[in-house]
Amino acid sequence: MKKMRAPIATAIAIAFGLIVLVGYFIPIPSLTLIRSMVISWAVILAAVAAIIGIINLVSVHVRKATNKTNQDRYSVVLLIGFILTLVFGLWLGPADSGYQKAVLAVQVPVEAGLMAVLALALSFASLKLMQFRKGWPGLVFLISTVLFLFLGSGVINGLQGVPFLKDVIAFVNHLPIAGARGILIGIALGSLVTGLRILIGADRPYSG
Amino acid sequence: MKMAEIICPMCGKPNPETVETCRFCQARLKPLHIDQNADQNGGTPDWLAALLGSQPEAAPSPQAPMDEPRSIINPPIEEAPLSSPVDETAENEDWLARIRQRTQEEGDAISRFGPEPVVPPEEERQAALAGEDWLKDLQGFSADQPESTPEPPAEPAQEDWLNRLRDQQSTEPEQFPQPAHETPAAEPEQPVDWTAVLRQAAEQAPAEPEPEPTQAIPDWMSAFQPPVEETPTVEPSKATSDVPDWMTPFRDQAQIEQPSEELKVEPAAEMPDWMSSFQPSLEETTPSAFEKTPEVPDWMASVRETGEEIPSANNQPETSESTTLKESVAGTPPEPAIEPIEPSPAAEESLDWMNAFIEAAPEETTTEITPQTNAEAPEWLKSYSEKLMGTVEPNPDAAVPAEETPEWLRSLAAASEVGLPGEETPQQSVPEQPDWLKSFEPAPEVPEKPGGETPDWLKEYEKDYTTEEQQPAEQTAAFSAETPDWLKAYAEESSIEHIPPLQATRPLDFVAGSSLPSGEPEKNAPFEGEVSVPAAPTQPFETSELPDWLSAEADQISGASENNAENIERIEPAQLPAWLQAMRPVEAVPLDAGVPIDDQHVEKAGPLAGLRGVLVGENSAAEYQKPPTFSTKLLVTDRQRLQANLLEEMLANENRPAEIHSERVQSPQLIGRLVTAVVLLCAILAALLIPFTNALPSDMSSPQTPAYRFFQIVNSLPEDAPVLVAVDYDAGLSGELSKASVGVIQNLMMLKARLTLVSTSTSGTILGEELLQDAAVGIPNYSVSASTVNLGYLPSGANSLQELASSPLYSVIGVPQRSNGDWSDPTLAGVQQISDFDLVVVLVDNADTARYWIEQVQPALGDTKLVMVISAQSAAIIQPYEGKQVAAMLSGLPGGMAYSAIAGFTGAPTRYWTAYQIGVAVIIVFILLGVILQGVLDVTNRQKSKNKA
């Protein structure tokens, strides 16, 4: 049975992929309709997957919270918060301003705090930058970091009136764009190759 | 009489005489062969029987008839009791025992200081006893025979001693022959010096390799073989103190009236003439001649004395008197227990020739033969001894009292070229020589022989030797197996190099008056050739089987001897050609393989006694040794152990993970982090708390800036334009983006735009609501609830955006939030699909989401512009889309602040700008500070390392 599963899944994946791709380039009404339907199914499946993920998360934490040998107390907190949020959300509705404020009151500080710690760690790492990365790559990285921090902070924005510095600053501002373009091209090409591999059956991420 | 016991020649253990095989080692005690002729003659050999038949019957021997021919080679150690007067027997036994004992002691002494005897003491004793018996027989003969002439009257004496021998053989079990010189402490009845002289001479003579016997030649005859021109490899005289075996009969005969068991006599019928000649000589010798000389061997004296008593001395077992004989031969004073025996005239005459040994004994030369000389020993004896030693040339002028030389001895000497010392010409007419002695004469002289007819047996012997001239020396001694051991021993003891051919080395040369061996093979010798003299002549008549030449073919010898003499002259010693030697299979066999076979070694014990080329059992015992025990423990050297340890360590390191060296921490991590955090927080808090008025740079709000373009796009919207605002950032970056996008929202609120919120992240809808609330605070106439709608969360990311872009909104979104519950809400009036919006504003914090919006939605927007407010961390990635897919983009807080400044919104954003700038400055300071500190530390460490170096 396992041997039969692989080719069927592959066939289905290839078929639907071709339908969506062809329907995107060939505006046939039926094909477009099928394509829209398949995409709708994908969206629904993604939503269901999210729910399954939530259920899985809850079950894991429930298991950790109920484990006698190695009980995880944080799992209990998580479950409590989950339950309360679920209950209040269902009861008040997601549009309720109070509910939203409560959620935001917890959600925003937590995530913002994590981002702040990251900022401090990066600040400390910047202090020991040359200790770990000695040599020309480290020096170049150090110089570029300082330069773009200056440029981004707006400290040298006042120097853009200077003709030479303006051109230099403009040139420097365009350097990230060049890098970004290269990254985007690479991402695009990678995405294209990955899609083609799936369409031809070379990659089968769905077979497990 | 005690029951005789037979000593096994193999294991040396006593066995009763009735048994034929040893009870311990199962060795044969009695030879298997049976002499038919002996049986016919009542157990006596043919030649002995013939002699006895031609002779008057002697005194009846009380001995039992010899049922089996005794093996002269290995006479029994102990004699069987013979019927004889008890007194005489006891005396003889004592005398023999003493002689034997002395002989054994001398042999032991010599073995300590010289070559060890090969034959065990028991065998030596047996040989001595046999010699003694033989001698005793001779004495008996001499005693019986009247002292008239040495010739024919010897026959009755011969018959007597032959009878004794015969009786001994019949009554005593045969044993392996024992060389006389190796006999243990023999039991000389009466020590005789001249025999001691000979014995010593024989002992000290270098060992000579025995030639391989090719024909059956009695051992006693082997002594007369010509010497072998080979390097003597045989052990030196084994029992130098022993009397030559051929002499022991004389010795024994003087003491023992009866032949002992060990005495292996040949059949009386075939007794050689020389034996018969001894009888009258023994009788003729006077004891005074020996007694006068203080050094006269006792046994010699006893020979004379006991010559008359020999018949009564028959059947006397050998006793320790043989030791006495040996000792006396060695020069020790005779035992007082020895009963003097008056030798008969014949015995005295026969003993005259022995005087030569006594005279020659004192002349010790460098040769191994160092007989004890007697001052009054006959010259011929002396010269003979000297010749045996090989250093003294025969001195024909040596004074040898002619009257002391028996006539028969003279005749022999005259017959041979070797003249008696003292005689002018050795070829003088001498009395008729015994036939047996004639055979030892040189071939050319054969015609010159005085009338004596060579016995047939001797002729054949000569013929055999002549045919063997071309063979190696060791092969010409064909009758070494048959020769008496006493004769062999004597031959071996004498130097082969110096011993001329047989004729010269014959111990009876002195009898014939021949010269002593000169060291060179004499020509015309009947047995010319490289013939090795047996090392230790055994006792006479000890051969286990009589050679044919002694029996019926004895007549042929006389006729062939003449031809052989001539052939001997022409035939040179055998020299194998090279091609023939190469074909020899013997060469293919490594000489060292296996047990070395000493061709010169004559087996003296066991059933192979008298044979040459026998594998030496003694050597094999030495060769076979305990196999080496190998230790089970592995022997490892230090170097090997070291290498093994290195290999083991290498293999262990393969599976061992590499050690991670911990970094050296210059400062505590916790303090550094705390300091950094404190400094950064203080700076930012100060910027927030302290009302710094840091105006936004003007260039940031210039028309060429992206913020200005964004402002223009937004301001180009008509009033009440539907604007889709996508809030796709997380709560962690809400502080940046909310501050960056609030100005845009406020601007849209000021334009009375209908805002529709949508989000592809789970917290986006809530964050959007907060954003609207914050923005509406500055716009009092804008109602968020009436002018905004929240479409909620769109799962699946890009798929939902694709669906949103391609499908009507109601198909994508279920029920809008904060609406009337349907799509009839006036906020969504005229909006069916995404392209119906006038502006799509995307608030995103990561580049992927921004790409999704750009790649999925923007193509479906048509004329609707897509603008983005993106976080500074992702702005660089999306910046390539700016101006094309993205109409305008605000990058992080600076962009938002610039837009706010352009739009004319002031307040909180200004403070955030200052704090932001201070924070960035602090970080820049940290970086620069770290670089400086690290540089200083590196320089310091380098200096320290240089100082240490």
Side-chain angles (χ1 to χ4, degrees):
Chain A
M1 190 62 184
K2 288 184 178 180
K3 295 183 177 179
M4 292 294 295
R5 195 182 303 172
I8 296 174
T10 304
I12 293 172
I14 294 173
F16 282 98
L18 290 175
I19 291 172
V20 172
L21 183 63
V22 171
Y24 185 84
F25 291 102
I26 300 173
I28 298 175
S30 58
L31 192 60
T32 304
L33 182 61
I34 295 172
R35 170 176 167 270
S36 300
M37 185 174 58
V38 170
I39 292 172
S40 300
W41 293 349
V43 174
I44 297 171
L45 291 175
V48 173
I51 295 172
I52 294 173
I54 293 170
I55 295 172
N56 183 36
L57 179 65
V58 170
S59 62
V60 169
H61 285 279
V62 168
R63 195 182 308 115
K64 289 183 178 181
T66 57
N67 191 359
K68 296 181 180 180
T69 58
N70 189 13
Q71 187 178 13
D72 190 359
R73 290 169 291 185
Y74 298 103
S75 298
V76 178
V77 174
L78 184 144
L79 292 174
I80 292 173
F82 172 79
I83 293 171
L84 291 176
T85 306
L86 179 62
V87 168
F88 280 101
L90 292 175
W91 179 35
L92 299 175
D96 186 79
S97 61
Y99 175 77
Q100 289 179 358
K101 288 180 181 179
V103 171
L104 290 175
V106 174
Q107 191 71 17
V108 170
V110 169
E111 293 186 9
L114 292 174
M115 294 303 294
V117 171
L118 178 60
L120 293 175
L122 291 175
S123 300
F124 183 74
S126 63
L127 184 63
K128 302 172 66 175
L129 180 63
M130 293 306 295
Q131 181 179 0
F132 301 112
R133 292 291 183 266
K134 295 181 181 179
W136 289 106
L139 184 61
V140 171
F141 177 77
L142 177 66
I143 295 173
S144 63
T145 301
V146 172
L147 179 62
F148 284 103
L149 283 174
F150 272 108
L151 292 175
S153 62
V155 174
I156 58 178
N157 289 336
L159 300 178
Q160 292 184 359
V162 178
F164 177 75
L165 291 177
K166 180 179 179 179
D167 297 335
V168 173
I169 293 171
F171 172 76
V172 174
N173 287 331
H174 284 86
L175 291 178
I177 298 173
R181 291 183 184 274
I183 294 173
L184 290 174
I185 293 172
I187 293 173
L189 293 175
S191 301
L192 180 61
V193 172
T194 302
L196 289 175
R197 290 174 61 86
I198 294 174
L199 289 176
I200 62 176
D203 289 340
R204 301 174 187 178
Y206 40 82
S207 60
Chain B
M1 292 182 174
K2 62 178 180 181
M3 185 63 177
E5 291 182 352
I6 301 174
I7 303 301
C8 177
M10 302 304 290
C11 60
K13 297 183 179 178
N15 293 275
E17 65 170 321
T18 58
V19 298
E20 294 185 356
T21 58
C22 179
R23 297 179 296 174
F24 301 97
C25 64
Q26 305 304 323
R28 188 94 188 154
L29 300 177
K30 299 178 182 178
L32 294 173
H33 65 276
I34 300 176
D35 190 355
Q36 297 180 356
N37 296 327
D39 292 336
Q40 296 176 0
N41 299 325
T44 58
D46 295 339
W47 66 272
L48 190 59
L51 292 174
L52 293 175
S54 61
Q55 298 171 3
E57 292 294 333
S61 171
Q63 297 180 3
M66 296 191 299
D67 297 329
E68 297 177 354
R70 295 177 184 278
S71 173
I72 299 179
I73 298 175
N74 185 15
I77 297 175
E78 296 183 0
E79 301 178 26
L82 304 175
S83 59
S84 63
V86 178
D87 297 339
E88 295 176 353
T89 302
E91 292 176 354
N92 292 331
E93 292 178 354
D94 294 337
W95 180 73
L96 286 174
R98 286 193 292 275
I99 292 176
R100 288 172 186 152
Q101 183 179 1
R102 288 183 183 178
T103 307
Q104 185 179 10
E105 292 175 0
E106 293 172 355
D108 295 342
I110 292 174
S111 65
R112 286 193 295 273
F113 298 100
E116 296 183 2
V118 175
V119 181
E122 290 297 328
E123 296 177 351
E124 294 178 358
R125 196 163 67 89
Q126 293 179 7
L129 291 175
E132 294 169 359
D133 298 336
W134 179 77
L135 184 60
K136 182 175 63 176
D137 293 341
L138 293 177
Q139 292 174 353
F141 260 105
S142 62
D144 295 335
Q145 299 294 334
E147 299 179 356
S148 57
T149 58
E151 300 177 356
E155 295 182 354
Q158 294 177 2
E159 186 177 2
D160 293 337
W161 70 267
L162 286 175
N163 292 331
R164 286 194 293 275
L165 292 175
R166 192 188 312 119
D167 296 338
Q168 286 182 359
Q169 289 182 359
S170 61
T171 58
E172 298 172 358
E174 294 181 355
Q175 292 187 2
F176 296 104
Q178 295 282 336
H181 76 285
E182 296 176 352
T183 54
E187 303 166 358
E189 300 175 354
Q190 291 183 2
V192 183
D193 293 340
W194 68 272
T195 55
V197 169
L198 294 175
R199 189 191 308 135
Q200 290 180 0
E203 292 171 357
Q204 296 178 5
E208 299 175 354
E210 296 181 352
E212 296 179 354
T214 56
Q215 295 186 2
I217 300 174
D219 295 340
W220 62 272
M221 292 297 293
S222 63
F224 305 107
Q225 300 171 7
V228 181
E229 295 181 358
E230 292 179 357
T231 303
T233 58
V234 181
E235 302 174 8
S237 57
K238 302 166 184 175
T240 56
S241 62
D242 295 340
V243 181
D245 291 339
W246 68 270
M247 293 300 299
T248 54
F250 298 94
R251 179 190 59 212
D252 296 340
Q253 191 176 8
Q255 299 180 9
I256 302 174
E257 297 178 0
Q258 300 177 4
S260 59
E261 296 178 351
E262 295 80 7
L263 181 62
K264 309 299 180 196
V265 298
E266 298 178 352
E270 299 182 0
M271 184 183 67
D273 295 338
W274 68 271
M275 289 296 296
S276 61
S277 64
F278 280 141
Q279 306 306 321
S281 62
L282 290 173
E283 297 173 355
E284 292 176 357
T285 53
T286 56
S288 62
F290 295 93
E291 291 177 354
K292 291 179 181 178
T293 60
E295 298 183 4
V296 172
D298 296 338
W299 71 274
M300 286 290 292
S302 64
V303 168
R304 287 174 285 139
E305 295 174 0
T306 58
E308 299 175 350
E309 302 177 358
I310 288 177
S312 62
N314 289 337
N315 301 329
Q316 287 186 357
E318 288 186 357
T319 60
S320 60
E321 293 178 356
S322 61
T323 307
T324 309
L325 174 63
K326 285 192 176 181
E327 294 176 352
S328 63
V329 172
T332 57
E335 292 285 339
I338 299 174
E339 182 179 359
I341 302 173
E342 294 182 1
S344 60
E348 291 178 355
E349 182 178 356
S350 64
L351 293 177
D352 291 340
W353 59 273
M354 300 180 183
N355 295 331
F357 291 94
I358 299 173
E359 295 176 357
E363 298 179 0
E364 296 182 358
T365 60
T366 56
T367 59
E368 298 182 4
I369 299 176
T370 57
Q372 292 185 356
T373 57
N374 192 336
E376 296 186 2
E379 291 297 332
W380 56 269
L381 184 61
K382 294 180 185 177
S383 61
Y384 180 74
S385 302
E386 294 170 358
K387 283 191 177 180
L388 289 178
M389 293 188 294
T391 55
V392 179
E393 294 293 332
N395 184 8
D397 296 334
V400 176
E403 58 277 9
E404 298 182 3
T405 308
E407 293 180 359
W408 64 272
L409 189 59
R410 294 196 208 96
S411 63
L412 291 177
S416 61
E417 290 182 355
V418 181
L420 284 174
E423 292 187 356
E424 295 178 1
T425 56
Q427 301 184 356
Q428 291 177 358
S429 61
V430 295
E432 183 180 357
Q433 300 178 1
D435 294 339
W436 64 270
L437 198 58
K438 293 177 185 177
S439 63
F440 299 120
E441 297 175 357
E445 295 180 1
V446 172
E448 297 177 2
K449 286 184 182 178
E453 183 179 1
T454 308
D456 296 338
W457 59 269
L458 197 59
K459 292 179 184 176
E460 183 178 356
Y461 179 74
E462 291 177 357
K463 181 182 68 176
D464 294 335
Y465 265 97
T466 52
T467 57
E468 296 171 355
E469 285 180 354
Q470 294 181 355
Q471 298 179 1
E474 55 276 13
Q475 299 179 358
T476 55
F479 46 82
S480 63
E482 298 293 338
T483 55
D485 292 342
W486 60 270
L487 209 58
K488 291 181 188 176
Y490 180 76
E492 290 177 354
E493 293 174 357
S494 58
S495 171
I496 297 177
E497 298 177 348
H498 303 283
I499 295 178
L502 177 64
Q503 62 175 359
T505 59
R506 291 170 293 180
L508 295 181
D509 283 344
F510 68 92
V511 177
S514 59
S515 60
L516 294 176
S518 60
E520 297 179 355
E522 295 186 357
K523 300 181 179 179
N524 302 327
F527 307 102
E528 186 174 358
E530 296 183 0
V531 179
S532 63
V533 180
T538 58
Q539 296 182 7
F541 315 116
E542 293 180 350
T543 54
S544 59
E545 57 182 44
L546 294 175
D548 296 337
W549 58 269
L550 288 178
S551 57
E553 296 179 336
D555 296 338
Q556 300 179 4
I557 295 176
S558 61
S561 61
E562 297 179 359
N563 297 330
N564 292 338
E566 296 177 356
N567 295 334
I568 289 173
E569 293 180 356
R570 293 190 298 271
I571 298 174
E572 295 179 357
Q575 293 283 340
L576 293 177
W579 63 270
L580 187 59
Q581 289 182 358
M583 295 173 58
R584 292 179 62 185
V586 179
E587 295 178 355
V589 178
L591 298 178
D592 297 334
V595 180
I597 299 176
D598 187 2
D599 294 339
Q600 302 305 324
H601 170 69
V602 178
E603 188 64 22
K604 298 176 177 56
L608 302 179
L611 299 177
R612 296 178 186 274
V614 177
L615 296 177
V616 182
E618 293 82 359
N619 296 339
S620 62
E623 289 183 0
Y624 291 104
Q625 57 185 353
K626 184 179 179 182
T629 54
F630 297 98
S631 173
T632 57
K633 185 178 180 181
L634 181 63
L635 301 178
V636 181
T637 62
D638 293 340
R639 180 180 177 82
Q640 291 175 349
R641 190 180 302 279
L642 179 62
Q643 293 176 351
N645 293 335
L646 290 175
L647 181 61
E648 184 179 4
E649 185 177 353
M650 290 170 60
L651 295 176
N653 291 335
E654 291 293 330
N655 296 329
R656 191 179 301 161
E659 295 181 359
I660 299 174
H661 299 282
S662 59
E663 295 180 357
R664 190 176 143 188
V665 180
Q666 296 181 354
S667 62
Q669 296 287 333
L670 182 60
I671 296 175
R673 292 195 185 103
L674 288 176
V675 170
T676 302
V678 169
V679 171
L680 185 60
L681 288 174
C682 293
I684 293 172
L685 289 175
L688 291 174
L689 297 175
I690 299 172
F692 289 110
T693 57
N694 184 9
L696 189 66
S698 57
D699 52 354
M700 293 178 64
S701 60
S702 62
Q704 291 79 16
T705 60
Y708 189 82
R709 196 164 45 251
F710 192 101
F711 175 76
Q712 288 181 346
I713 293 172
V714 170
N715 285 330
S716 64
L717 291 174
E719 288 184 1
D720 197 29
V723 175
L724 180 62
V725 178
V727 181
D728 285 337
Y729 58 88
D730 295 331
L733 292 174
S734 61
E736 178 187 8
L737 286 173
S738 61
K739 301 303 182 280
S741 61
V742 68
V744 172
I745 300 301
Q746 288 179 352
N747 191 16
L748 290 172
M749 288 180 175
M750 292 179 62
L751 296 175
K752 308 271 190 236
R754 292 176 285 155
L755 299 178
T756 305
L757 295 179
V758 71
S759 175
T760 59
S761 67
T762 55
S763 60
T765 56
I766 300 175
L767 294 172
E769 291 289 338
E770 183 184 18
L771 178 61
L772 293 174
Q773 297 297 330
D774 293 341
V777 169
I779 310 301
N781 54 358
Y782 188 83
S783 175
V784 173
S785 59
S787 304
T788 65
V789 68
N790 192 352
L791 298 179
Y793 166 68
L794 296 177
S796 180
N799 294 327
S800 61
L801 293 177
Q802 176 61 229
E803 185 181 17
L804 181 64
S806 60
S807 302
L809 293 178
Y810 57 89
S811 63
V812 175
I813 299 171
V815 177
Q817 296 178 2
R818 274 188 304 107
S819 62
N820 295 331
D822 55 10
W823 286 93
S824 62
D825 190 304
T827 307
L828 294 174
V831 176
Q832 300 295 324
Q833 52 190 2
I834 196 168
S835 58
D836 295 337
F837 291 98
D838 294 341
L839 183 63
V840 175
V841 179
V842 177
L843 307 177
V844 65
D845 61 348
N846 58 66
D848 294 334
T849 306
R851 281 192 311 110
Y852 295 157
W853 280 97
I854 296 172
E855 295 173 355
Q856 303 300 328
V857 175
Q858 195 279 326
L861 293 176
D863 295 336
T864 305
K865 290 183 178 46
L866 178 63
V867 293
M868 284 189 177
V869 180
I870 189 167
S871 171
Q873 65 181 5
S874 303
I877 304 298
I878 305 301
Q879 195 169 2
Y881 296 104
E882 185 180 6
K884 298 181 180 56
Q885 292 84 356
V886 177
M889 184 176 67
L890 296 177
S891 174
L893 186 61
M897 294 305 297
Y899 185 88
S900 297
I902 295 173
F905 300 111
T906 58
T910 305
R911 287 181 293 154
Y912 296 141
W913 172 246
T914 304
Y916 172 77
Q917 287 182 334
I918 292 173
V920 171
V922 170
I923 291 173
I924 292 172
V925 170
F926 282 155
I927 293 173
L928 296 176
L929 185 60
V931 172
I932 294 171
L933 291 176
Q934 187 64 35
V936 172
L937 290 174
D938 292 341
V939 172
T940 304
N941 293 334
R942 198 176 297 116
Q943 288 180 355
K944 288 183 180 178
S945 61
K946 286 183 179 180
N947 293 335
K948 289 181 180 179

